[in-house]
Amino acid sequence: MARELAVLYPDVHTELNFKTPLEMLVATILSAQTTDKQVNLVTPTLFARYPTAADYASADRPELEKIIQSTGFYRAKANSLIGLGQALCDRYGGEVPPRLKDLVTLPGVGRKTANVVLGNAFGIPGITVDTHFGRLARRFGWTTETDPVKVEAEVATLIPRKEWTDLSQRMIWHGRRVCHARRPACGACGVARLCPSYGIGPTDPEVAAKLVKPGPFS
């Protein structure tokens, strides 16, 4: 199934725009409860105004909140970004650390965010278990777990480590495009012949095709 997904999505990549590990980390924090597209509308202004960790650490809160307001939960996200900047300056010389154990100690950063940053900014393989990944992993029969950490651990035993980052993005893309939460497009699914959950959504090709959401997938 992983190989079939690789054929379906050969040009897989994160849809968050970034140039540095700090930009990747900030964009990922902002992406919670909103779309990548919305984050990308905000980050050009944000990154120009706050190019370093020290800039976030000393940010004027009302100004920062105004810039990121459209991403939702902007007060909490502003808290995270200011705290992030302070923590990076205090503990890591203003640089984003390339280690999971360090990243998860930062404000606003959990395992999911840490793995996104490691995979996309540092080229260090990581499994990103968001709602799409978890749903598909269970539907595919790869796990019965619901806890993201346990899902990550089980899938890690099935898939070669070097494929973890790309697999994560392919699962997210497939979840957004085809394998929807409420009504998956089973009849238009490229991995249908291998899927133990085939049939939980419409299997008629014409009906299923109307459910497919074209990219971009954010």
Side-chain angles (χ1 to χ4, degrees):
M1 296 183 86
R3 286 195 295 268
E4 291 290 336
L5 288 173
V7 172
L8 291 173
Y9 308 107
D11 60 342
V12 71
H13 57 274
T14 178
E15 292 189 296
L16 291 170
N17 296 333
F18 75 100
K19 293 181 180 177
T20 67
L22 178 61
E23 289 184 357
M24 180 78 259
L25 181 51
V26 168
T28 306
I29 289 172
L30 292 179
S31 70
Q33 304 299 315
T34 190
T35 64
D36 294 351
K37 181 179 180 180
Q38 185 59 48
V39 173
N40 289 338
L41 292 175
V42 166
T43 49
T45 300
L46 183 70
F47 294 162
R49 178 66 182 82
Y50 307 100
T52 70
D55 293 318
Y56 286 103
S58 61
D60 177 77
R61 183 181 298 274
E63 180 185 11
L64 177 58
E65 289 181 353
K66 185 176 180 180
I67 294 173
I68 66 173
Q69 185 171 1
S70 63
T71 68
F73 301 96
Y74 62 93
R75 290 192 177 91
K77 290 178 181 179
N79 285 339
S80 293
L81 295 184
I82 293 171
L84 173 70
Q86 293 169 345
L88 289 176
C89 290
D90 291 346
R91 288 185 255 153
Y92 302 107
E95 299 297 324
V96 177
R99 293 172 297 276
L100 180 69
K101 66 178 182 179
D102 294 331
L103 286 168
V104 295
T105 68
L106 298 170
V109 181
R111 285 186 70 90
K112 181 176 74 172
T113 294
N115 278 322
V116 170
V117 173
L118 288 174
N120 291 286
F122 293 107
I124 298 172
I127 295 175
T128 304
V129 182
D130 71 347
T131 55
H132 298 293
F133 190 106
R135 179 176 73 252
L136 269 62
R138 287 185 288 274
R139 285 179 177 173
F140 290 174
W142 295 359
T143 182
T144 58
E145 299 289 350
T146 56
D147 178 79
V149 175
K150 293 180 179 179
V151 172
E152 179 186 338
E154 288 208 354
V155 174
T157 67
L158 303 175
I159 305 297
R161 186 173 184 270
K162 65 181 181 180
E163 298 177 17
W164 288 354
T165 299
D166 283 350
L167 172 72
S168 297
Q169 194 63 54
R170 289 178 183 127
M171 294 277 275
I172 292 167
W173 279 20
H174 195 63
R176 290 173 174 173
R177 180 180 175 84
V178 178
C179 197
H180 312 304
R182 294 184 179 178
R183 203 171 180 223
C186 291
C189 178
V191 295
R193 64 185 179 84
L194 300 170
C195 184
S197 298
Y198 175 74
I200 64 172
T203 58
D204 180 272
E206 291 187 8
V207 174
K210 294 178 181 178
L211 299 175
V212 174
K213 296 181 180 178
F217 306 106
S218 60

